[in-house]
């Protein structure tokens, strides 16, 4: 099940990176307030963001352990993500409140804008590559098989001797660490972070990406993220503004997003790319006749 | 002390609107078993329909009834056109939540496309201010409270005294069993969606009257306290939702008087999470409703 | 995986999984012992003071009318649900407070009343996943990678193929389990349980929905497994089946065990007949 | 209200960078018009603000083009949508920097997004005339940063000064929890302490709550002589109607910021508590400029002449930030003429020469006049709508403040003027 509070993990990573690199809040005329305010080097802060992301992921995961119906769980997750944004927004001296934290340092700030952006893309691409390789360890092979089994039926998995709690928290921690890193990279690029940047609707956009791409397919998810994020949401910016109707273009973007989600769930719930399962081949074995045994091919 | 009494009064006034919305929400959930997040958007539609009808020169209370019925029709359409077909396709509850979230967003931006994103207002309809029991309420708030009470009593009579009500309760507690007893559950479901939509639309217009100023996000902002009320009272329990609405209203009002008002909405969030995780049946829910909730 | 000798005519096809069963003579005493087991739902006692033992290498049946508490006994025994009171001992060890997955690792594996397969996995993957302590799922396995767990994975695959062939489902191995028929799902579920090399198999109405021929074949499987050292606790409605395979039968009604013994003898007992009539 | 969307993916960045391969700024001027990027929200809840802040740009560019353009180039306004959200603004502004040719001046960069957009624009070496109120830019060392409006804390101090002048000694303060509004608070607190004005409730409220009755009740119970209040239109209307419900329709005098002078605010508040309150009890405090100078007439007639801005002419007549953009564009355009280059790295060092008083300089009040004087080989001093401008070493200029009263849904007239020196003393 997709985690509707995932955006909180991204936010946690972003805030962690921000307060660990930005320096004390008395700087810059003291116009913003936040805790910590260290000036750690980039990589240390990213690692810390991963750790905090993992921690927050596990915390969210713990609430998900309670056996309630999945739509209720979805609701709890949505509420958690809205609540987290509200609480952070209402506490101005904790993480900058509603205005958020700005002037977060960029690791390439001494390069020019364009070179810096390219350097950043290169770095993010590298991070993605590493992330993909780590992810493959989890989604491919026997580990992926076990996780998929748990996703299909937790009770049956527990009956098979799997510690559902441990595996769930493990996946939450790994997912959380990923979210934390992506939050850190994002905030280092943007330079600022505020509750408005992680409203629950952003979760919907992430979810649409996953649904369109195909939930069980790493490549599909990546592709979906590109299609949705870049083409749709950024593409809307290139449309001519309809002057007489403020907000119409923007509204169209959102409607397309919503309809796309519904349309895919309706017509092609598996997404553009299906989940693929490995095929195993039977070794040649002269004694076995594959189709002759008990229970073969009969309808029960 | 005076502040406490007063804020309880505000809470009751806000709670009446909340109850109205929460009852509709919980009624539909109880019978069709679908968590409808698009409910908030339907509420906004109700508020904008009210605005449209005020523009036509209708009386606000007439507009409230008509708007409610119109939203009821929208609600049935949503069920027939989207939810039921997907349920038939075997979509899981989690998928349905995503669908209703998406549908809600689409509906909201349909409002933006038609009416624009600007802030709207019915104008000052609150009437004279009334003082009693140390409470300060406007005439409109009292009328809305009255309407809410009337609707609740009406719903109570419908559920307990009529054949339809019995059929609805039967469907709510066990759909399969009800169907095997010859109850046309899909028709009951339609009726539930319609009634839910009607409550929703009326709550939207009532909210727009009391809040004075609103935009297309009206309903989705209000959805969280409404769900909190429904969850507090036990999901699927109309009576629970009535009480839940009042409790959530009073608690958030009192909390914002004595605590940082910025945290006002956090109270509602807290109620939802604590209730669902600690006592999912709600304060008034039966254990059969609990079994529905548990996976 | 040792070879599957074709040494027992008529039951040779299922010889392979049985060698997978671990030695059950470990503790000497009864394999499973339930003492004064009570399970309440709200105010209702679904199980009301049940005590019994299961010896190694036996098939024990539970019969009784609907609502007698049979499934609840199995559910509580497997650890899916905690008992309200009472004790559960498995293989000489108190497992009352142990969660289901820990009991499964000790060798007590259950199947479900309605077969539960991992629908997104292929049939053979359903089997291969059922080795919870495989190396590939450890931290070391994640870090070191394939060379740490490859040989074990190959062995698991080999065993899974043996079972698939035994149950005659090798041609369905790469089919998504979600597309299998009810009987095939049942088979996958039982094969999956066998992959774990259990000492005790808890099965809930495995014959439900199977045609008579299939039922007989499954009976045969279970009996061969027992000969190889497995114990089975089976809930079954079909009394003929129970009579054929069970060495001991418990009759439950109203949450209590009202009679126990051999099926043939029980059929004649008055209280058993009464329970069925009333139920 | 719903914020617009940030998508935390590499994809966006890739597109940004992909577009960016072509045109690093700061090169010699290319054929085609010179572009002024109007960095403001054009979508999202604050979209109206984008229209308002574009108007002075149209007025200035129309006049500059009528005067023959700059160095043979036309000049035009190009909207850059910052969506009102600091995080969303970054990709859009980065893309604009990379894709807009002859992007030689940016205007706008308002408070909500300034913290992320100003550093970007500065780094891209593009001059900016910003209207943001962040106090951290009071002492900025950004080379390309220019600001002709006061920081928010000065505005807060001016609100208290105004209250003090009116004789209010007990004031309640209620702000919405956003950057602009919370930026006022330090100034309010400092000024209140210096002037001996007692602050009662001093709280922030969340936007768009369904009721503010409890907050209102707290405020009412303290009997303030006036209330300093700033929030979005919807929340303001709800708060005021909750308040009047408690006091039988009696509302205290309200002091708010000039950014409340919008049709949306007027509409929402007038429907909730009536126009009488708006016309007689609301004071809008903001920066001041005279509406009787020739420079103002030129500005106003340019606004009236363009159909896009015609309807806004009256609204803008007393609002400081748009006027500061108008003046700022003229100053920058004249600096380009003096530098004989539209390249910010070149003309930036001429900006102060345009405005500082010097002996023998011709005082000019429009681009056309300045261009003529420069062509005649004279020194100039631009004195525009805001009057004489002098930038301090941080490229900041804060003029006088005034309190204004509504005279219509979007129009106001200045009532009380407070010298800038008085306000800066309160903050010192």
């Amino acid at each position: 099940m997709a985690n509707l509070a995932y955006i909180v993990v991204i936010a946690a990573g972003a805030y962690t990176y921000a307060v660990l690199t930005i320096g004390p809040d008395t700087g810059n005329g003291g116009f913003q307030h936040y805790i910590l305010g260290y000036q750690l080097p980039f990589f240390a802060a990213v690692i810390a963001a991963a750790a905090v992301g993992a921690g927050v992921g596990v915390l969210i995961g713990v609430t998900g352990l309670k056996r309630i119906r999945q739509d209720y769980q979805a609701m709890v997750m949505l509420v958690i993500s809205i609540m987290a944004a509200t609480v952070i927004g209402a506490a101005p001296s904790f993480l900058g409140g509603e205005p958020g934290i700005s002037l977060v340092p960029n690791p390439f700030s001494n390069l020019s804008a364009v070179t810096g952006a390219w350097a950043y893309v290169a770095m993010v691409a590298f991070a993605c590559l590493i992330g993909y390789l780590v992810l493959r360890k989890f989604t491919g092979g026997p580990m992926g098989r076990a996780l998929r089994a748990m996703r299909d039926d937790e009770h049956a998995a527990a009956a098979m001797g799997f510690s559902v709690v441990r595996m769930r928290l493990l996946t939450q921690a790994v997912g959380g660490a990923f979210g934390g890193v992506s939050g850190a990279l994002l905030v280092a690029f943007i330079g600022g972070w505020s509750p408005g940047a992680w409203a629950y609707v952003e979760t919907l956009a992430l979810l649409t990406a996953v649904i369109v791409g195909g939930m069980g397919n790493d490549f599909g998810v990546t592709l979906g993220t590109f299609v949705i994020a870049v083409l749709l949401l950024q593409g809307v910016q290139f449309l001519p503004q309809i002057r007489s109707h403020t907000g119409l273009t923007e509204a169209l973007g959102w409607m397309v997003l919503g309809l796309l989600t519904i349309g895919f769930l309706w017509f092609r719930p598996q997404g553009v790319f299906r989940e693929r399962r490995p095929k195993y081949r039977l070794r040649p074995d002269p004694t076995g006749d594959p189709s002759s045994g008990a229970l073969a091919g009969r309808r029960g | 002390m005076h502040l406490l009494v007063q804020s309880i009064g505000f809470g009751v006034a806000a709670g009446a609107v909340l109850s109205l919305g929460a009852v509709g929400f919980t009624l539909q959930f109880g019978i069709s078993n679908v968590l409808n997040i698009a409910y908030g958007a339907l509420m906004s539609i109700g508020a904008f329909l009210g605005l449209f009808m005020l523009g036509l020169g209708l009386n606000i209370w007439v507009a409230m009834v008509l708007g409610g019925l119109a939203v009821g029709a929208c609600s049935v359409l949503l069920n027939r056109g989207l939810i039921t077909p997907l349920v038939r396709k075997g979509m899981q509850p989690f998928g349905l939540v995503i669908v209703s979230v998406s549908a809600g967003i689409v509906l909201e931006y349909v409002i933006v496309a038609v009416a624009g994103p600007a802030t709207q207002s019915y104008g000052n309809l609150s009437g004279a201010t009334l003082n009693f029991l140390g409470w300060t309420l406007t005439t409109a708030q009292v009328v809305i409270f009255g309407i809410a009470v009337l609707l609740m009593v009406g719903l109570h009579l419908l559920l307990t005294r009529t054949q339809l009500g019995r059929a609805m309760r039967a469907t709510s507690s066990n759909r399969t069993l009800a169907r095997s007893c010859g109850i046309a559950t899909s028709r009951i479901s339609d009726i539930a969606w319609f009634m839910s939509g009607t409550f929703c639309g009326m709550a939207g217009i009532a909210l727009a009257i009391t809040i004075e100023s609103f935009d297309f996000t009206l309903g989705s902002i209000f959805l969280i306290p409404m769900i909190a009320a429904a969850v507090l009272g036990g999901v699927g329990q109309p009576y629970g939702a009535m009480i839940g609405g009042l409790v959530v209203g009073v608690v958030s009002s009192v909390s914002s008087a004595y605590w940082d008002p910025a945290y006002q909405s956090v109270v509602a969030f807290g109620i939802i999470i604590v209730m669902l995780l600690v006592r999912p049946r709600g304060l008034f829910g039966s254990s059969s409703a609990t079994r529905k909730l548990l996976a | 995986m040792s070879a599957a000798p074709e040494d027992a005519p008529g039951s040779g096809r299922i010889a392979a999984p049985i060698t997978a069963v671990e030695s059950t003579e470990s503790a000497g005493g009864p394999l499973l012992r339930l003492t004064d087991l009570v399970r309440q739902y709200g105010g209702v006692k679904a199980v009301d003071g049940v005590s019994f033992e299961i010896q190694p290498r036996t098939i024990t049946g539970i019969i009784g009318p609907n609502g007698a508490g049979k499934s609840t006994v199995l559910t509580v025994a497997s650890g899916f649900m905690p008992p309200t009171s009472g004790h559960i001992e498995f293989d000489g060890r108190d497992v009352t407070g142990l969660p289901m997955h820990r009991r499964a690792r000790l060798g007590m594996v259950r199947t479900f009343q309605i077969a539960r397969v991992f629908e997104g996995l292929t049939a053979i993957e359903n089997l291969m996943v059922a080795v919870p302590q495989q190396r590939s799922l450890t931290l070391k396995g994640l870090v070191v990678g394939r060379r740490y767990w490859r040989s074990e994975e190959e062995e698991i695959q080999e065993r899974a193929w043996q079972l698939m062939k035994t149950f005659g489902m090798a041609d369905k191995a790469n089919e998504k389990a979600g597309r299998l028929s009810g009987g095939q799902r049942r088979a996958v579920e039982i094969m999956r349980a066998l992959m774990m090399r259990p000492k005790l198999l808890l099965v809930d109405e495995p014959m439900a929905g199977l045609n008579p021929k299939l039922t007989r074949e499954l009976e045969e499987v279970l009996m061969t497994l027992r000969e190889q050292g497995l114990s089975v606790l089976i809930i079954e409605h079909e009394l003929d089946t129970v009579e054929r395979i069970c060495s001991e039968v418990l009759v439950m009604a109203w949450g209590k065990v009202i009679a126990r013994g051999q099926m043939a003898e029980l059929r004649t007992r008055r209280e058993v007949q009464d329970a069925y009539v009333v139920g | 209200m719903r914020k617009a969307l940030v998508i935390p993916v590499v994809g966006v960045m890739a597109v940004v960078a992909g577009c960016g391969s072509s045109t690093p700024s700061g090169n010699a001027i290319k054929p085609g018009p010179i572009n002024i990027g109007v960095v403001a929200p054009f979508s999202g809840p604050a979209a109206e603000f984008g229209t308002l802040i574009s108007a002075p740009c149209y007025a200035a560019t129309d006049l500059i083009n009528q005067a023959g353009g700059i160095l043979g180039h036309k000049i035009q306004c190009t909207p850059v949508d910052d969506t009102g959200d600091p995080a969303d603004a970054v990709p859009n502004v980065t893309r604009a920097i990379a894709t807009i040719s002859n992007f030689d001046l940016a205007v706008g960069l308002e408070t909500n997004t300034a913290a992320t957009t100003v550093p970007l624009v500065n780094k891209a070496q593009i001059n900016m005339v910003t209207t943001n109120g962040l106090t951290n830019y009071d002492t900025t060392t950004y080379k390309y940063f220019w600001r002709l409006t006061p920081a928010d804390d000065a505005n807060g101090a001016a609100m208290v000064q105004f209250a003090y002048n009116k004789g209010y000694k007990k004031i309640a303060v209620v702000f919405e929890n956003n950057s602009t509004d919370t930026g006022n608070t330090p100034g309010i607190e400092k000024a209140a302490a210096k002037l001996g004005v007692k602050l009662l409730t001093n709280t922030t409220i969340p936007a768009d709550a369904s009721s503010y009755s409890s907050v209102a009740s707290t405020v009412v119970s303290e009997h303030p002589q006036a209330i300093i209040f700033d929030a979005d239109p919807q929340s303001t209307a709800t708060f005021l109607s909750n308040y009047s419900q408690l006091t039988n329709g009696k509302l205290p005098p309200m002091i708010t910021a000039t950014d409340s002078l919008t049709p949306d605010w007027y509409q929402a508040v007038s429907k909730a508590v009536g126009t009488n309150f708006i016309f007689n009890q609301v004071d809008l405090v903001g920066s001041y400029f005279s509406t009787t100078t020739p420079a103002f007439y030129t500005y106003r007639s340019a606004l009236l002449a363009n159909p896009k801005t015609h309807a806004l002419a009256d609204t803008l007549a007393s609002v400081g930030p748009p006027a500061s953009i108008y003046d700022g564009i003229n100053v920058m355009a004249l600096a380009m003429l003096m530098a004989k280059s539209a390249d910010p790295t070149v003309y930036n060092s001429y900006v102060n020469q345009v405005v500082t008083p010097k002996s023998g300089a011709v005082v000019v009040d429009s681009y056309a006049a300045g261009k003529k004087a420069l062509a005649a080989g004279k020194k100039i001093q631009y004195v525009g709508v805001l009057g004489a401008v002098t930038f301090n070493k941080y490229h900041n200029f804060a003029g006088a403040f005034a309190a204004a009263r509504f005279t219509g849904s979007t129009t106001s007239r200045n009532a009380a003027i407070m010298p800038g020196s008085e306000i800066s003393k309160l903050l010192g």
Side-chain angles (χ1 to χ4, degrees), chain C residues 123-124 127 160-170 172-173 191:
Chain C
I124 192 163
L127 271 58
W161 274 119
Q162 289 292 347
L163 274 165
M164 294 299 276
K165 281 193 285 183
T166 307
F167 278 70
M169 279 190 57
K172 299 278 179 202
M191 286 189 279

Side-chain angles (χ1 to χ4, degrees), chain A residues 147-180:
Chain A
L147 291 174
R148 171 77 223 214
M150 235 184 50
R151 189 170 88 193
D152 278 359
D153 191 333
E154 287 191 354
H155 295 156
M160 299 290 82
F162 284 105
S163 170
V164 174
V165 173
R166 240 188 72 197
M167 288 191 80
R168 252 226 244 177
L169 293 185
L170 175 75
T171 47
Q172 292 286 357
V174 173
F178 272 77

Side-chain angles (χ1 to χ4, degrees), chain D residues 92-409:
Chain D
N92 291 1
V93 171
T94 312
R95 189 175 52 221
I97 290 169
T99 53
I100 298 174
S101 120
N102 292 334
F103 189 172
D104 294 324
L105 176 62
V107 299
L109 306 108
E110 35 83 42
T111 308
N112 281 325
T113 57
T116 57
T117 54
V118 167
L120 279 177
V121 175
N122 185 67
K123 202 164 145 212
Q125 302 180 319
I126 296 172
N127 272 38
M128 66 195 112
V129 177
T130 166
T131 58
N132 84 74
L134 294 183
T135 48
N136 62 312
Y137 293 126
D138 281 351
T139 53
T140 182
T141 51
Y142 284 158
K143 198 173 156 193
Y144 299 92
F145 177 97
W146 299 91
R147 179 161 70 179
L148 295 84
T149 53
D152 288 332
D153 58 343
N155 214 47
M159 287 180 180
V160 178
Q161 177 73 53
F162 174 74
Y164 177 79
N165 293 348
K166 292 271 264 186
Y168 305 137
K169 295 283 150 49
K170 283 164 65 192
I171 308 175
V173 182
V174 178
F175 279 115
E176 187 180 317
N177 56 354
N178 63 26
S179 2
T180 316
D181 291 330
T182 46
N184 284 293
T185 315
I188 289 175
E189 284 164 357
K190 277 187 196 162
K194 284 224 168 119
L195 293 170
V197 171
K198 190 174 180 216
L199 297 183
L200 306 168
T201 310
N202 183 357
T203 192
T204 53
I205 53 171
D208 302 325
S210 60
S211 158
Y212 296 109
S213 291
S214 297
V215 188
S217 182
T218 315
V219 175
V220 170
S221 67
E222 290 173 335
H223 307 289
Q225 291 169 311
I227 174 168
I228 294 181
F229 183 97
D230 203 34
D232 69 85
Q234 185 176 333
S235 308
T236 308
T238 308
F239 178 85
L240 287 174
S241 82
N242 289 161
Y243 196 106
S244 74
Q245 168 187 347
L246 293 166
T247 55
N248 265 319
K250 269 222 278 312
L251 289 168
M254 185 168 121
I255 300 164
T256 184
T258 31
D259 33 332
S260 295
L261 188 71
T262 62
D264 229 18
W265 196 94
Y266 179 87
Q267 278 242 328
V269 175
S270 65
K271 281 194 172 163
V273 291
T275 51
N276 202 21
F277 169 74
I278 296 185
F279 290 139
N280 298 317
Q281 279 172 269
V282 177
D283 287 291
L284 302 153
V285 173
S287 49
Y288 166 77
F289 55 88
S290 165
T291 52
T292 53
T293 60
F296 177 76
Y297 287 127
T298 316
Y299 171 47
R300 186 176 146 82
S301 52
L303 285 170
L304 286 169
N306 189 327
K308 275 192 258 188
T309 57
H310 183 85
L312 294 169
D314 287 333
T315 309
L316 299 181
S318 57
V319 187
S324 81
I325 286 181
Y326 172 82
D327 273 354
I329 293 174
N330 282 340
V331 170
M332 297 300 158
L334 289 169
M336 290 178 199
L337 285 185
M338 287 172 87
K340 301 189 175 60
S341 166
D343 182 347
T345 56
V346 180
Y347 82 76
N348 191 38
S349 48
Y350 290 82
V351 173
N352 268 319
Q353 293 187 37
V354 176
V355 289
T356 40
K358 45 209 158 278
S359 60
V362 183
V363 173
V364 296
D365 59 11
S366 69
Y367 174 79
K371 188 178 182 184
K372 217 163 95 186
L374 285 174
K378 292 181 178 143
K379 290 183 194 164
I380 56 163
Q381 184 201 350
Y382 177 79
V383 177
V385 177
L386 299 178
V389 171
T390 42
F391 290 108
N392 63 17
K393 65 172 174 169
Y394 304 113
H395 295 188
N396 268 285
F397 165 75
F401 287 86
R405 277 276 163 96
F406 274 93
T407 54
S409 70

Side-chain angles (χ1 to χ4, degrees), chain A residues 242-266:
Chain A
I242 302 155
R243 280 278 160 222
S244 59
H245 238 90
T246 350
L248 184 59
T249 323
E250 195 196 359
L252 288 177
W254 280 105
M255 277 148 75
V256 170
L257 189 75
L259 291 173
L260 206 61
T261 311
I262 297 175
F264 262 88
L265 286 175
W266 186 309

